[in-house]
């Protein structure tokens, strides 16, 4: 008798500081709601910006990651643009994803992006958006 065991790797949110991820640049900062809140894993914290357009942050993973799904949680975001770099330094970004988000009149915007083909990223990607209050880009890999 032969038994085959199927092992499924657990989903990991690679966009957390506990996974070694860092916010290495943010175009706006508020001492009560700093950019580091983007990756702290706490649903009660967030990054807020000045409201000037556009705003962006750069996340550094410090290792190669394979991304299958992104979850962006935000308020008052008009356009979401995510760029990626194939460099080990935060340079030479190329557009990866761009979406206009539905206006939700002060309600949380949950934008889930399932990638048909998982993407292997170098350690950095840049996220641009047009408005305030941001929660993390949750990047799940299997």
């Amino acid at each position: 008798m032969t038994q085959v065991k199927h092992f499924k790797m657990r989903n990991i949110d690679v966009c957390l500081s506990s996974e070694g991820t860092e916010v290495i640049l943010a175009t706006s900062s508020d001492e009560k709601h700093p950019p580091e809140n983007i990756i702290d894993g706490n649903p009660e914290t967030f990054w807020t910006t000045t409201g000037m357009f556009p705003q962006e942050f750069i996340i550094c993973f410090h290792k190669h990651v394979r991304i299958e799904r992104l979850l962006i949680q935000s308020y008052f975001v008009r356009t979401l643009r995510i760029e990626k770099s194939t460099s080990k330094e935060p340079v030479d970004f190329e557009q990866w994803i761009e979406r206009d988000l539905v206006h939700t009149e002060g309600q949380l915007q949950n934008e889930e992006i399932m990638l048909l083909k998982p993407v292997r990223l170098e350690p950095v990607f840049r996220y641009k958006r047009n408005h305030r209050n941001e929660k993390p880009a949750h990047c799940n890999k299997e």
Side-chain angles (χ1 to χ4, degrees):
M1 181 169 113
T2 303
Q3 288 187 334
V4 178
K5 292 187 177 183
H6 298 277
F7 295 98
K8 181 170 170 62
M9 294 178 72
R10 65 185 176 97
N11 284 337
I12 299 170
D13 189 344
V14 296
C15 285
L16 293 176
S17 55
S18 60
E19 292 294 321
T21 300
E22 284 184 277
V23 177
I24 60 171
L25 177 133
T27 54
S28 185
S29 186
D30 177 295
E31 65 182 46
K32 292 181 183 177
H33 307 289
E36 293 76 24
N37 288 354
I38 297 168
I39 58 172
D40 69 1
N42 182 346
E44 301 299 316
T45 64
F46 55 90
W47 172 50
T48 191
T49 65
T50 61
M52 301 296 289
F53 308 118
Q55 295 290 329
E56 68 182 66
F57 59 87
I58 297 177
I59 290 179
C60 182
F61 295 113
H62 295 292
K63 61 184 174 183
H64 288 94
V65 295
R66 183 174 174 233
I67 296 178
E68 296 179 352
R69 175 179 160 263
L70 295 171
L71 175 62
I72 310 296
Q73 296 176 314
S74 58
Y75 289 94
F76 306 112
V77 173
R78 294 180 187 153
T79 302
L80 167 72
R81 181 175 183 178
I82 300 175
E83 298 177 351
K84 63 180 180 173
S85 174
T86 56
S87 172
K88 293 182 180 182
E89 299 297 321
V91 296
D92 301 326
F93 287 93
E94 61 186 59
Q95 184 175 324
W96 182 30
I97 297 166
E98 184 165 358
R99 293 210 176 147
D100 290 328
L101 303 186
V102 176
H103 179 69
T104 58
E105 195 57 46
Q107 299 297 312
L108 182 65
Q109 295 166 298
N110 284 300
E111 186 71 18
E112 184 172 17
I113 302 166
M114 299 296 291
L115 304 173
L116 298 176
K117 180 180 174 186
V119 174
R120 183 180 165 98
L121 292 179
E122 291 291 330
V124 293
F125 80 84
R126 176 167 51 191
Y127 170 83
K128 291 184 176 182
R129 64 181 185 87
N130 285 336
H131 223 303
R132 304 179 296 217
N133 305 347
E134 207 62 49
K135 244 342 252 180
H138 297 284
C139 309
N140 291 334
K141 70 174 187 172
E142 286 194 359

